[in-house]
Short mmCIF file of all heavy atoms in Angstrom, two decimals:
data_model
loop_
_atom_site.label_atom_id
_atom_site.label_comp_id
_atom_site.label_asym_id
_atom_site.label_seq_id
_atom_site.Cartn_x
_atom_site.Cartn_y
_atom_site.Cartn_z
N MET E 1 -11.02 3.80 -7.61
CA MET E 1 -11.52 3.83 -8.97
C MET E 1 -10.56 4.66 -9.80
O MET E 1 -10.01 5.64 -9.36
CB MET E 1 -12.91 4.43 -8.96
CG MET E 1 -13.59 4.40 -10.27
SD MET E 1 -14.70 3.01 -10.35
CE MET E 1 -15.98 3.71 -11.30
N SER E 2 -10.40 4.26 -11.01
CA SER E 2 -9.48 4.92 -11.92
C SER E 2 -10.02 6.27 -12.37
O SER E 2 -11.23 6.48 -12.45
CB SER E 2 -9.25 4.02 -13.13
OG SER E 2 -8.47 4.67 -14.09
N ALA E 3 -9.09 7.16 -12.69
CA ALA E 3 -9.50 8.45 -13.25
C ALA E 3 -9.81 8.32 -14.74
O ALA E 3 -10.37 9.23 -15.34
CB ALA E 3 -8.39 9.47 -13.04
N ASP E 4 -9.46 7.19 -15.33
CA ASP E 4 -9.71 6.93 -16.74
C ASP E 4 -11.22 6.75 -16.97
O ASP E 4 -11.83 5.86 -16.39
CB ASP E 4 -8.96 5.67 -17.16
CG ASP E 4 -9.08 5.37 -18.64
OD1 ASP E 4 -10.04 5.85 -19.28
OD2 ASP E 4 -8.21 4.67 -19.16
N PRO E 5 -11.82 7.59 -17.80
CA PRO E 5 -13.27 7.49 -18.00
C PRO E 5 -13.71 6.16 -18.61
O PRO E 5 -14.83 5.70 -18.37
CB PRO E 5 -13.61 8.66 -18.92
CG PRO E 5 -12.33 9.19 -19.43
CD PRO E 5 -11.23 8.69 -18.54
N ASP E 6 -12.85 5.52 -19.40
CA ASP E 6 -13.21 4.23 -19.99
C ASP E 6 -13.32 3.15 -18.92
O ASP E 6 -14.23 2.31 -18.95
CB ASP E 6 -12.19 3.80 -21.04
CG ASP E 6 -12.21 4.69 -22.27
OD1 ASP E 6 -13.28 5.28 -22.56
OD2 ASP E 6 -11.17 4.81 -22.94
N ILE E 7 -12.40 3.16 -17.95
CA ILE E 7 -12.45 2.18 -16.88
C ILE E 7 -13.64 2.46 -15.97
O ILE E 7 -14.35 1.54 -15.56
CB ILE E 7 -11.13 2.16 -16.09
CG1 ILE E 7 -10.01 1.63 -17.00
CG2 ILE E 7 -11.24 1.32 -14.83
CD1 ILE E 7 -8.63 1.67 -16.40
N THR E 8 -13.88 3.73 -15.67
CA THR E 8 -15.05 4.10 -14.87
C THR E 8 -16.33 3.62 -15.54
O THR E 8 -17.21 3.04 -14.90
CB THR E 8 -15.10 5.62 -14.65
OG1 THR E 8 -13.90 6.03 -14.01
CG2 THR E 8 -16.28 6.03 -13.81
N ALA E 9 -16.43 3.83 -16.84
CA ALA E 9 -17.61 3.39 -17.59
C ALA E 9 -17.73 1.87 -17.56
O ALA E 9 -18.84 1.33 -17.45
CB ALA E 9 -17.54 3.89 -19.03
N ALA E 10 -16.60 1.18 -17.63
CA ALA E 10 -16.63 -0.29 -17.59
C ALA E 10 -17.12 -0.79 -16.24
O ALA E 10 -17.90 -1.75 -16.17
CB ALA E 10 -15.24 -0.86 -17.89
N PHE E 11 -16.69 -0.14 -15.15
CA PHE E 11 -17.17 -0.52 -13.82
C PHE E 11 -18.67 -0.26 -13.71
O PHE E 11 -19.42 -1.08 -13.17
CB PHE E 11 -16.44 0.24 -12.72
CG PHE E 11 -15.12 -0.33 -12.33
CD1 PHE E 11 -13.99 0.47 -12.27
CD2 PHE E 11 -14.98 -1.67 -12.00
CE1 PHE E 11 -12.76 -0.06 -11.91
CE2 PHE E 11 -13.76 -2.20 -11.63
CZ PHE E 11 -12.64 -1.38 -11.59
N ARG E 12 -19.13 0.87 -14.20
CA ARG E 12 -20.56 1.18 -14.15
C ARG E 12 -21.36 0.19 -14.98
O ARG E 12 -22.43 -0.27 -14.56
CB ARG E 12 -20.81 2.61 -14.64
CG ARG E 12 -20.44 3.64 -13.62
CD ARG E 12 -21.15 4.97 -13.86
NE ARG E 12 -20.84 5.87 -12.78
CZ ARG E 12 -20.00 6.89 -12.88
NH1 ARG E 12 -19.42 7.17 -14.01
NH2 ARG E 12 -19.75 7.65 -11.83
N GLN E 13 -20.83 -0.17 -16.15
CA GLN E 13 -21.51 -1.13 -17.01
C GLN E 13 -21.58 -2.50 -16.33
O GLN E 13 -22.60 -3.18 -16.39
CB GLN E 13 -20.81 -1.24 -18.37
CG GLN E 13 -21.53 -2.14 -19.35
CD GLN E 13 -22.92 -1.60 -19.70
OE1 GLN E 13 -23.06 -0.42 -20.01
NE2 GLN E 13 -23.92 -2.45 -19.64
N ALA E 14 -20.49 -2.89 -15.67
CA ALA E 14 -20.49 -4.17 -14.95
C ALA E 14 -21.54 -4.17 -13.85
O ALA E 14 -22.27 -5.16 -13.66
CB ALA E 14 -19.10 -4.44 -14.37
N ALA E 15 -21.65 -3.06 -13.11
CA ALA E 15 -22.64 -2.97 -12.04
C ALA E 15 -24.06 -3.01 -12.63
O ALA E 15 -24.94 -3.68 -12.08
CB ALA E 15 -22.45 -1.69 -11.23
N ASP E 16 -24.28 -2.32 -13.73
CA ASP E 16 -25.61 -2.33 -14.38
C ASP E 16 -25.96 -3.72 -14.89
O ASP E 16 -27.10 -4.18 -14.74
CB ASP E 16 -25.65 -1.32 -15.52
CG ASP E 16 -25.60 0.12 -15.05
OD1 ASP E 16 -25.83 0.37 -13.84
OD2 ASP E 16 -25.30 1.00 -15.88
N ASP E 17 -24.99 -4.39 -15.51
CA ASP E 17 -25.24 -5.74 -16.02
C ASP E 17 -25.54 -6.72 -14.89
O ASP E 17 -26.45 -7.55 -15.00
CB ASP E 17 -24.03 -6.24 -16.83
CG ASP E 17 -23.84 -5.49 -18.13
OD1 ASP E 17 -24.77 -4.75 -18.55
OD2 ASP E 17 -22.75 -5.62 -18.72
N LEU E 18 -24.79 -6.61 -13.81
CA LEU E 18 -25.04 -7.48 -12.66
C LEU E 18 -26.42 -7.21 -12.07
O LEU E 18 -27.15 -8.14 -11.73
CB LEU E 18 -23.95 -7.31 -11.61
CG LEU E 18 -24.08 -8.18 -10.36
CD1 LEU E 18 -24.08 -9.66 -10.73
CD2 LEU E 18 -22.96 -7.87 -9.39
N ALA E 19 -26.78 -5.94 -11.96
CA ALA E 19 -28.10 -5.58 -11.44
C ALA E 19 -29.20 -6.20 -12.30
O ALA E 19 -30.19 -6.71 -11.78
CB ALA E 19 -28.26 -4.07 -11.37
N THR E 20 -29.02 -6.17 -13.60
CA THR E 20 -30.00 -6.77 -14.51
C THR E 20 -30.13 -8.27 -14.26
O THR E 20 -31.24 -8.82 -14.27
CB THR E 20 -29.60 -6.50 -15.97
OG1 THR E 20 -29.56 -5.09 -16.18
CG2 THR E 20 -30.59 -7.11 -16.93
N LEU E 21 -28.99 -8.92 -14.04
CA LEU E 21 -29.01 -10.37 -13.81
C LEU E 21 -29.67 -10.76 -12.49
O LEU E 21 -30.38 -11.76 -12.42
CB LEU E 21 -27.59 -10.92 -13.83
CG LEU E 21 -26.91 -11.00 -15.20
CD1 LEU E 21 -25.44 -11.39 -15.03
CD2 LEU E 21 -27.62 -12.01 -16.07
N ILE E 22 -29.42 -9.98 -11.44
CA ILE E 22 -29.93 -10.38 -10.12
C ILE E 22 -31.32 -9.83 -9.81
O ILE E 22 -31.94 -10.25 -8.84
CB ILE E 22 -28.95 -9.99 -9.00
CG1 ILE E 22 -28.80 -8.48 -8.87
CG2 ILE E 22 -27.61 -10.67 -9.20
CD1 ILE E 22 -27.96 -8.03 -7.67
N ARG E 23 -31.81 -8.91 -10.63
CA ARG E 23 -33.10 -8.25 -10.36
C ARG E 23 -34.23 -9.25 -10.08
O ARG E 23 -35.01 -9.04 -9.14
CB ARG E 23 -33.46 -7.32 -11.52
CG ARG E 23 -34.56 -6.34 -11.20
CD ARG E 23 -34.72 -5.27 -12.26
NE ARG E 23 -33.49 -4.62 -12.69
CZ ARG E 23 -32.85 -3.66 -12.02
NH1 ARG E 23 -33.31 -3.25 -10.90
NH2 ARG E 23 -31.74 -3.12 -12.50
N PRO E 24 -34.37 -10.35 -10.81
CA PRO E 24 -35.47 -11.27 -10.52
C PRO E 24 -35.34 -12.01 -9.19
O PRO E 24 -36.31 -12.57 -8.70
CB PRO E 24 -35.42 -12.28 -11.68
CG PRO E 24 -34.58 -11.67 -12.73
CD PRO E 24 -33.67 -10.72 -12.05
N TYR E 25 -34.15 -12.00 -8.62
CA TYR E 25 -33.90 -12.82 -7.43
C TYR E 25 -33.69 -12.02 -6.14
O TYR E 25 -33.58 -12.61 -5.08
CB TYR E 25 -32.64 -13.68 -7.66
CG TYR E 25 -32.71 -14.43 -8.96
CD1 TYR E 25 -31.97 -14.01 -10.06
CD2 TYR E 25 -33.55 -15.53 -9.10
CE1 TYR E 25 -32.05 -14.69 -11.27
CE2 TYR E 25 -33.63 -16.21 -10.31
CZ TYR E 25 -32.87 -15.78 -11.39
OH TYR E 25 -32.96 -16.46 -12.57
N VAL E 26 -33.62 -10.69 -6.26
CA VAL E 26 -33.29 -9.85 -5.11
C VAL E 26 -34.39 -8.81 -4.94
O VAL E 26 -34.97 -8.33 -5.92
CB VAL E 26 -31.92 -9.15 -5.32
CG1 VAL E 26 -31.57 -8.23 -4.18
CG2 VAL E 26 -30.82 -10.19 -5.51
N GLN E 27 -34.65 -8.44 -3.69
CA GLN E 27 -35.66 -7.41 -3.42
C GLN E 27 -35.27 -6.12 -4.16
O GLN E 27 -34.10 -5.74 -4.20
CB GLN E 27 -35.75 -7.14 -1.93
CG GLN E 27 -36.26 -8.32 -1.14
CD GLN E 27 -36.24 -8.04 0.36
OE1 GLN E 27 -35.92 -6.96 0.81
NE2 GLN E 27 -36.57 -9.06 1.13
N ALA E 28 -36.26 -5.48 -4.74
CA ALA E 28 -36.02 -4.33 -5.62
C ALA E 28 -35.18 -3.23 -4.99
O ALA E 28 -34.31 -2.66 -5.65
CB ALA E 28 -37.36 -3.76 -6.09
N HIS E 29 -35.41 -2.94 -3.72
CA HIS E 29 -34.68 -1.83 -3.10
C HIS E 29 -33.22 -2.17 -2.80
O HIS E 29 -32.43 -1.29 -2.46
CB HIS E 29 -35.39 -1.35 -1.83
CG HIS E 29 -35.37 -2.34 -0.70
ND1 HIS E 29 -36.22 -3.43 -0.66
CD2 HIS E 29 -34.60 -2.41 0.40
CE1 HIS E 29 -35.97 -4.12 0.44
NE2 HIS E 29 -34.99 -3.54 1.10
N LEU E 30 -32.81 -3.42 -2.96
CA LEU E 30 -31.43 -3.84 -2.69
C LEU E 30 -30.60 -4.06 -3.95
O LEU E 30 -29.38 -4.13 -3.88
CB LEU E 30 -31.43 -5.14 -1.88
CG LEU E 30 -32.07 -5.11 -0.52
CD1 LEU E 30 -32.09 -6.51 0.09
CD2 LEU E 30 -31.34 -4.15 0.39
N VAL E 31 -31.24 -4.15 -5.10
CA VAL E 31 -30.56 -4.58 -6.32
C VAL E 31 -29.37 -3.69 -6.67
O VAL E 31 -28.25 -4.17 -6.83
CB VAL E 31 -31.55 -4.63 -7.52
CG1 VAL E 31 -30.82 -4.84 -8.82
CG2 VAL E 31 -32.56 -5.72 -7.30
N ASP E 32 -29.58 -2.39 -6.82
CA ASP E 32 -28.49 -1.51 -7.26
C ASP E 32 -27.36 -1.45 -6.25
O ASP E 32 -26.19 -1.50 -6.62
CB ASP E 32 -29.03 -0.11 -7.55
CG ASP E 32 -29.92 -0.08 -8.78
OD1 ASP E 32 -29.66 -0.87 -9.71
OD2 ASP E 32 -30.88 0.70 -8.81
N ASP E 33 -27.71 -1.36 -4.98
CA ASP E 33 -26.67 -1.30 -3.95
C ASP E 33 -25.85 -2.59 -3.92
O ASP E 33 -24.63 -2.54 -3.83
CB ASP E 33 -27.29 -1.04 -2.57
CG ASP E 33 -26.24 -0.93 -1.49
OD1 ASP E 33 -25.31 -0.09 -1.64
OD2 ASP E 33 -26.33 -1.68 -0.50
N LEU E 34 -26.52 -3.71 -4.02
CA LEU E 34 -25.82 -4.99 -4.00
C LEU E 34 -24.89 -5.13 -5.21
O LEU E 34 -23.74 -5.56 -5.07
CB LEU E 34 -26.84 -6.13 -3.98
CG LEU E 34 -26.29 -7.54 -3.82
CD1 LEU E 34 -25.56 -7.67 -2.49
CD2 LEU E 34 -27.43 -8.54 -3.89
N ALA E 35 -25.35 -4.73 -6.38
CA ALA E 35 -24.52 -4.81 -7.58
C ALA E 35 -23.31 -3.89 -7.47
O ALA E 35 -22.18 -4.28 -7.79
CB ALA E 35 -25.35 -4.45 -8.81
N ARG E 36 -23.51 -2.67 -6.99
CA ARG E 36 -22.38 -1.73 -6.82
C ARG E 36 -21.38 -2.24 -5.81
O ARG E 36 -20.17 -2.14 -6.01
CB ARG E 36 -22.90 -0.36 -6.40
CG ARG E 36 -23.59 0.38 -7.49
CD ARG E 36 -24.01 1.76 -7.01
NE ARG E 36 -24.76 2.43 -8.04
CZ ARG E 36 -25.94 3.00 -7.85
NH1 ARG E 36 -26.50 2.98 -6.67
NH2 ARG E 36 -26.55 3.58 -8.83
N ARG E 37 -21.89 -2.78 -4.68
CA ARG E 37 -20.98 -3.32 -3.67
C ARG E 37 -20.16 -4.48 -4.21
O ARG E 37 -18.98 -4.60 -3.92
CB ARG E 37 -21.74 -3.74 -2.41
CG ARG E 37 -22.02 -2.57 -1.48
CD ARG E 37 -22.47 -3.03 -0.11
NE ARG E 37 -23.80 -3.62 -0.24
CZ ARG E 37 -24.21 -4.68 0.44
NH1 ARG E 37 -23.42 -5.28 1.28
NH2 ARG E 37 -25.43 -5.13 0.29
N TYR E 38 -20.79 -5.34 -4.99
CA TYR E 38 -20.06 -6.48 -5.55
C TYR E 38 -18.95 -5.99 -6.48
O TYR E 38 -17.82 -6.46 -6.41
CB TYR E 38 -21.00 -7.42 -6.31
CG TYR E 38 -20.25 -8.64 -6.79
CD1 TYR E 38 -20.10 -9.74 -5.97
CD2 TYR E 38 -19.65 -8.66 -8.04
CE1 TYR E 38 -19.38 -10.85 -6.38
CE2 TYR E 38 -18.94 -9.75 -8.47
CZ TYR E 38 -18.80 -10.84 -7.63
OH TYR E 38 -18.08 -11.92 -8.05
N VAL E 39 -19.27 -5.06 -7.36
CA VAL E 39 -18.26 -4.53 -8.29
C VAL E 39 -17.13 -3.87 -7.51
O VAL E 39 -15.95 -4.08 -7.80
CB VAL E 39 -18.89 -3.56 -9.30
CG1 VAL E 39 -17.83 -2.79 -10.07
CG2 VAL E 39 -19.80 -4.33 -10.26
N ALA E 40 -17.48 -3.09 -6.50
CA ALA E 40 -16.45 -2.40 -5.71
C ALA E 40 -15.58 -3.38 -4.94
O ALA E 40 -14.35 -3.25 -4.93
CB ALA E 40 -17.11 -1.41 -4.74
N ASP E 41 -16.19 -4.38 -4.31
CA ASP E 41 -15.45 -5.29 -3.44
C ASP E 41 -14.70 -6.38 -4.21
O ASP E 41 -13.63 -6.80 -3.78
CB ASP E 41 -16.38 -5.96 -2.43
CG ASP E 41 -16.94 -4.97 -1.43
OD1 ASP E 41 -16.40 -3.86 -1.31
OD2 ASP E 41 -17.94 -5.32 -0.77
N HIS E 42 -15.26 -6.83 -5.33
CA HIS E 42 -14.67 -8.00 -5.99
C HIS E 42 -14.01 -7.71 -7.33
O HIS E 42 -13.28 -8.56 -7.83
CB HIS E 42 -15.73 -9.09 -6.14
CG HIS E 42 -16.24 -9.56 -4.82
ND1 HIS E 42 -15.50 -10.36 -3.98
CD2 HIS E 42 -17.38 -9.31 -4.16
CE1 HIS E 42 -16.18 -10.60 -2.88
NE2 HIS E 42 -17.33 -9.96 -2.96
N LEU E 43 -14.26 -6.55 -7.91
CA LEU E 43 -13.55 -6.19 -9.13
C LEU E 43 -12.56 -5.07 -8.89
O LEU E 43 -11.39 -5.18 -9.24
CB LEU E 43 -14.54 -5.75 -10.22
CG LEU E 43 -15.45 -6.82 -10.81
CD1 LEU E 43 -16.35 -6.21 -11.88
CD2 LEU E 43 -14.64 -7.94 -11.41
N ALA E 44 -13.03 -3.99 -8.28
CA ALA E 44 -12.16 -2.83 -8.10
C ALA E 44 -11.17 -3.01 -6.96
O ALA E 44 -10.01 -2.63 -7.08
CB ALA E 44 -12.99 -1.58 -7.85
N ALA E 45 -11.61 -3.57 -5.84
CA ALA E 45 -10.74 -3.69 -4.67
C ALA E 45 -9.49 -4.52 -4.96
O ALA E 45 -8.39 -4.11 -4.62
CB ALA E 45 -11.51 -4.25 -3.48
N PRO E 46 -9.61 -5.69 -5.59
CA PRO E 46 -8.41 -6.46 -5.86
C PRO E 46 -7.58 -5.88 -7.01
O PRO E 46 -6.43 -6.25 -7.18
CB PRO E 46 -8.93 -7.84 -6.28
CG PRO E 46 -10.36 -7.88 -5.94
CD PRO E 46 -10.82 -6.46 -5.84
N GLY E 47 -8.13 -5.00 -7.79
CA GLY E 47 -7.41 -4.41 -8.93
C GLY E 47 -8.09 -4.79 -10.22
O GLY E 47 -8.74 -5.82 -10.33
N TRP E 48 -7.96 -3.94 -11.21
CA TRP E 48 -8.62 -4.15 -12.50
C TRP E 48 -8.14 -5.44 -13.14
O TRP E 48 -8.88 -6.20 -13.68
CB TRP E 48 -8.36 -2.95 -13.41
CG TRP E 48 -8.99 -3.05 -14.75
CD1 TRP E 48 -8.34 -3.20 -15.94
CD2 TRP E 48 -10.38 -3.02 -15.07
NE1 TRP E 48 -9.24 -3.25 -16.97
CE2 TRP E 48 -10.51 -3.14 -16.47
CE3 TRP E 48 -11.52 -2.90 -14.31
CZ2 TRP E 48 -11.73 -3.14 -17.12
CZ3 TRP E 48 -12.75 -2.90 -14.95
CH2 TRP E 48 -12.84 -3.02 -16.34
N ARG E 49 -6.85 -5.70 -13.06
CA ARG E 49 -6.28 -6.96 -13.55
C ARG E 49 -5.76 -7.73 -12.35
O ARG E 49 -5.41 -7.14 -11.33
CB ARG E 49 -5.12 -6.68 -14.50
CG ARG E 49 -5.58 -6.10 -15.81
CD ARG E 49 -4.42 -5.96 -16.73
NE ARG E 49 -4.17 -4.54 -16.89
CZ ARG E 49 -3.09 -4.03 -17.42
NH1 ARG E 49 -2.12 -4.80 -17.81
NH2 ARG E 49 -2.97 -2.75 -17.56
N PRO E 50 -5.68 -9.04 -12.47
CA PRO E 50 -5.15 -9.80 -11.34
C PRO E 50 -3.77 -9.30 -10.95
O PRO E 50 -2.90 -9.17 -11.81
CB PRO E 50 -5.08 -11.24 -11.86
CG PRO E 50 -6.05 -11.28 -12.99
CD PRO E 50 -6.06 -9.91 -13.59
N PRO E 51 -3.56 -8.99 -9.69
CA PRO E 51 -2.25 -8.49 -9.27
C PRO E 51 -1.22 -9.62 -9.25
O PRO E 51 -1.57 -10.79 -9.15
CB PRO E 51 -2.50 -7.96 -7.86
CG PRO E 51 -3.68 -8.73 -7.39
CD PRO E 51 -4.51 -9.05 -8.61
N LEU E 52 0.04 -9.24 -9.35
CA LEU E 52 1.12 -10.23 -9.27
C LEU E 52 1.18 -10.84 -7.87
O LEU E 52 1.50 -11.99 -7.70
CB LEU E 52 2.46 -9.59 -9.64
CG LEU E 52 2.55 -9.09 -11.08
CD1 LEU E 52 3.87 -8.37 -11.30
CD2 LEU E 52 2.42 -10.25 -12.05
N ARG E 53 0.89 -10.03 -6.88
CA ARG E 53 0.80 -10.52 -5.51
C ARG E 53 -0.46 -9.92 -4.91
O ARG E 53 -0.95 -8.88 -5.38
CB ARG E 53 2.04 -10.13 -4.71
CG ARG E 53 2.27 -8.63 -4.63
CD ARG E 53 3.58 -8.32 -3.88
NE ARG E 53 3.73 -6.91 -3.72
CZ ARG E 53 4.37 -6.12 -4.59
NH1 ARG E 53 4.91 -6.62 -5.66
NH2 ARG E 53 4.46 -4.83 -4.38
N PRO E 54 -1.02 -10.54 -3.90
CA PRO E 54 -2.27 -10.03 -3.32
C PRO E 54 -2.11 -8.59 -2.81
O PRO E 54 -1.08 -8.23 -2.23
CB PRO E 54 -2.56 -10.98 -2.17
CG PRO E 54 -1.78 -12.22 -2.49
CD PRO E 54 -0.59 -11.78 -3.26
N ALA E 55 -3.14 -7.79 -3.06
CA ALA E 55 -3.13 -6.41 -2.58
C ALA E 55 -3.33 -6.40 -1.07
O ALA E 55 -4.09 -7.21 -0.53
CB ALA E 55 -4.25 -5.61 -3.26
N PRO E 56 -2.65 -5.49 -0.36
CA PRO E 56 -2.86 -5.37 1.09
C PRO E 56 -4.32 -5.03 1.39
O PRO E 56 -5.01 -4.39 0.59
CB PRO E 56 -1.95 -4.21 1.48
CG PRO E 56 -0.93 -4.11 0.39
CD PRO E 56 -1.63 -4.56 -0.85
N GLU E 57 -4.79 -5.46 2.54
CA GLU E 57 -6.19 -5.26 2.92
C GLU E 57 -6.59 -3.79 2.93
O GLU E 57 -7.70 -3.44 2.52
CB GLU E 57 -6.47 -5.89 4.28
CG GLU E 57 -6.52 -7.40 4.25
CD GLU E 57 -7.57 -7.94 3.28
OE1 GLU E 57 -8.70 -7.46 3.27
OE2 GLU E 57 -7.21 -8.87 2.52
N ASP E 58 -5.70 -2.90 3.39
CA ASP E 58 -6.06 -1.48 3.43
C ASP E 58 -6.23 -0.92 2.02
O ASP E 58 -7.07 -0.07 1.79
CB ASP E 58 -5.07 -0.66 4.26
CG ASP E 58 -3.63 -0.79 3.79
OD1 ASP E 58 -3.28 -1.83 3.21
OD2 ASP E 58 -2.85 0.15 4.03
N TRP E 59 -5.47 -1.40 1.05
CA TRP E 59 -5.65 -0.98 -0.34
C TRP E 59 -7.00 -1.43 -0.85
O TRP E 59 -7.69 -0.68 -1.54
CB TRP E 59 -4.57 -1.56 -1.24
CG TRP E 59 -3.20 -0.98 -1.07
CD1 TRP E 59 -2.75 -0.18 -0.05
CD2 TRP E 59 -2.09 -1.20 -1.93
NE1 TRP E 59 -1.44 0.10 -0.22
CE2 TRP E 59 -1.01 -0.51 -1.37
CE3 TRP E 59 -1.91 -1.92 -3.09
CZ2 TRP E 59 0.25 -0.51 -1.96
CZ3 TRP E 59 -0.66 -1.92 -3.67
CH2 TRP E 59 0.41 -1.21 -3.12
N LYS E 60 -7.37 -2.67 -0.53
CA LYS E 60 -8.67 -3.19 -0.97
C LYS E 60 -9.80 -2.34 -0.41
O LYS E 60 -10.76 -2.01 -1.11
CB LYS E 60 -8.85 -4.64 -0.55
CG LYS E 60 -7.97 -5.61 -1.29
CD LYS E 60 -8.24 -7.02 -0.81
CE LYS E 60 -7.35 -8.03 -1.47
NZ LYS E 60 -7.62 -9.40 -1.01
N THR E 61 -9.69 -1.99 0.87
CA THR E 61 -10.73 -1.19 1.52
C THR E 61 -10.83 0.19 0.86
O THR E 61 -11.94 0.66 0.57
CB THR E 61 -10.42 -1.02 3.02
OG1 THR E 61 -10.32 -2.32 3.60
CG2 THR E 61 -11.48 -0.21 3.73
N ILE E 62 -9.71 0.82 0.60
CA ILE E 62 -9.70 2.14 -0.03
C ILE E 62 -10.27 2.07 -1.44
O ILE E 62 -11.11 2.89 -1.83
CB ILE E 62 -8.27 2.73 -0.04
CG1 ILE E 62 -7.83 3.06 1.38
CG2 ILE E 62 -8.18 3.96 -0.93
CD1 ILE E 62 -6.36 3.35 1.54
N ARG E 63 -9.84 1.08 -2.22
CA ARG E 63 -10.36 0.93 -3.58
C ARG E 63 -11.86 0.70 -3.58
O ARG E 63 -12.60 1.28 -4.39
CB ARG E 63 -9.67 -0.23 -4.29
CG ARG E 63 -8.25 0.03 -4.70
CD ARG E 63 -7.67 -1.22 -5.32
NE ARG E 63 -6.29 -1.04 -5.68
CZ ARG E 63 -5.45 -2.04 -5.91
NH1 ARG E 63 -5.88 -3.29 -5.81
NH2 ARG E 63 -4.20 -1.82 -6.25
N ALA E 64 -12.33 -0.17 -2.69
CA ALA E 64 -13.76 -0.46 -2.62
C ALA E 64 -14.55 0.79 -2.25
O ALA E 64 -15.59 1.08 -2.85
CB ALA E 64 -14.03 -1.58 -1.62
N THR E 65 -14.07 1.55 -1.28
CA THR E 65 -14.76 2.78 -0.86
C THR E 65 -14.80 3.78 -2.00
O THR E 65 -15.86 4.38 -2.27
CB THR E 65 -14.04 3.39 0.36
OG1 THR E 65 -14.03 2.43 1.41
CG2 THR E 65 -14.73 4.65 0.83
N ASN E 66 -13.69 3.98 -2.68
CA ASN E 66 -13.64 4.93 -3.79
C ASN E 66 -14.56 4.50 -4.93
O ASN E 66 -15.23 5.34 -5.55
CB ASN E 66 -12.21 5.10 -4.31
CG ASN E 66 -11.33 5.83 -3.32
OD1 ASN E 66 -11.81 6.51 -2.43
ND2 ASN E 66 -10.03 5.68 -3.48
N THR E 67 -14.60 3.22 -5.20
CA THR E 67 -15.45 2.73 -6.29
C THR E 67 -16.92 2.89 -5.92
O THR E 67 -17.73 3.30 -6.76
CB THR E 67 -15.15 1.25 -6.59
OG1 THR E 67 -13.78 1.16 -6.96
CG2 THR E 67 -16.01 0.73 -7.72
N ARG E 68 -17.30 2.59 -4.67
CA ARG E 68 -18.70 2.79 -4.26
C ARG E 68 -19.11 4.24 -4.46
O ARG E 68 -20.19 4.53 -4.95
CB ARG E 68 -18.89 2.38 -2.80
CG ARG E 68 -19.05 0.92 -2.62
CD ARG E 68 -19.51 0.58 -1.21
NE ARG E 68 -19.04 -0.75 -0.89
CZ ARG E 68 -18.06 -1.01 -0.05
NH1 ARG E 68 -17.46 -0.05 0.62
NH2 ARG E 68 -17.68 -2.25 0.16
N ARG E 69 -18.23 5.17 -4.04
CA ARG E 69 -18.53 6.59 -4.19
C ARG E 69 -18.71 6.95 -5.66
O ARG E 69 -19.64 7.67 -6.04
CB ARG E 69 -17.41 7.44 -3.59
CG ARG E 69 -17.58 7.68 -2.14
CD ARG E 69 -16.63 8.78 -1.67
NE ARG E 69 -16.17 8.41 -0.36
CZ ARG E 69 -14.91 8.30 0.01
NH1 ARG E 69 -13.94 8.58 -0.82
NH2 ARG E 69 -14.60 7.93 1.22
N ALA E 70 -17.79 6.48 -6.50
CA ALA E 70 -17.85 6.82 -7.92
C ALA E 70 -19.09 6.22 -8.59
O ALA E 70 -19.67 6.85 -9.47
CB ALA E 70 -16.59 6.33 -8.62
N LEU E 71 -19.49 5.03 -8.19
CA LEU E 71 -20.67 4.41 -8.78
C LEU E 71 -21.95 5.11 -8.37
O LEU E 71 -22.95 5.04 -9.07
CB LEU E 71 -20.75 2.92 -8.39
CG LEU E 71 -19.70 2.02 -9.04
CD1 LEU E 71 -19.77 0.63 -8.44
CD2 LEU E 71 -19.90 1.96 -10.54
N GLU E 72 -21.94 5.81 -7.24
CA GLU E 72 -23.12 6.54 -6.78
C GLU E 72 -23.28 7.87 -7.49
O GLU E 72 -24.35 8.44 -7.51
CB GLU E 72 -23.06 6.74 -5.28
CG GLU E 72 -23.25 5.44 -4.51
CD GLU E 72 -23.03 5.60 -3.03
OE1 GLU E 72 -22.75 6.72 -2.57
OE2 GLU E 72 -23.13 4.58 -2.32
N GLU E 73 -22.19 8.38 -8.08
CA GLU E 73 -22.27 9.66 -8.79
C GLU E 73 -23.01 9.46 -10.10
O GLU E 73 -22.90 8.43 -10.74
CB GLU E 73 -20.86 10.19 -9.07
CG GLU E 73 -20.09 10.55 -7.82
CD GLU E 73 -18.66 10.93 -8.11
OE1 GLU E 73 -18.27 10.93 -9.30
OE2 GLU E 73 -17.94 11.21 -7.16
N PRO E 74 -23.79 10.47 -10.50
CA PRO E 74 -24.55 10.35 -11.77
C PRO E 74 -23.65 10.35 -12.98
O PRO E 74 -22.58 10.73 -13.03
CB PRO E 74 -25.47 11.56 -11.76
CG PRO E 74 -24.93 12.50 -10.76
CD PRO E 74 -24.04 11.71 -9.85
#
């Protein structure tokens, strides 16, 4: 996750928006976790913008882990 507060806020907003969309279709106790995981794995892990070449798998894992942690912080 980026140290830039605007990007962090954008990731949080994306997770909140996704949670709102899936809430009617997903069990209540899974909604927030599922939305955060999706944002971490599919937005943050590959990179904020499409990369010129695919990111290595270990980078994706690290980015996803960091984003999950940051999304859990208040």
Side-chain angles (χ1 to χ4, degrees):
M1 186 98 145
S2 174
D4 184 337
D6 292 333
I7 293 175
T8 301
F11 278 130
R12 284 201 175 105
Q13 185 63 48
D16 291 344
D17 291 346
L18 180 59
T20 300
L21 287 172
I22 65 173
R23 196 169 312 282
Y25 310 104
V26 178
Q27 295 175 5
H29 68 282
L30 299 175
V31 170
D32 291 327
D33 182 54
L34 186 61
R36 287 183 184 129
R37 277 193 291 142
Y38 184 87
V39 168
D41 293 344
H42 298 287
L43 291 180
W48 180 248
R49 290 185 249 167
L52 296 175
R53 60 183 184 269
E57 287 302 314
D58 56 333
W59 288 13
K60 289 181 183 181
T61 303
I62 291 167
R63 287 177 182 162
T65 302
N66 290 341
T67 301
R68 279 192 207 108
R69 274 193 217 125
L71 289 173
E72 290 173 1
E73 295 174 1

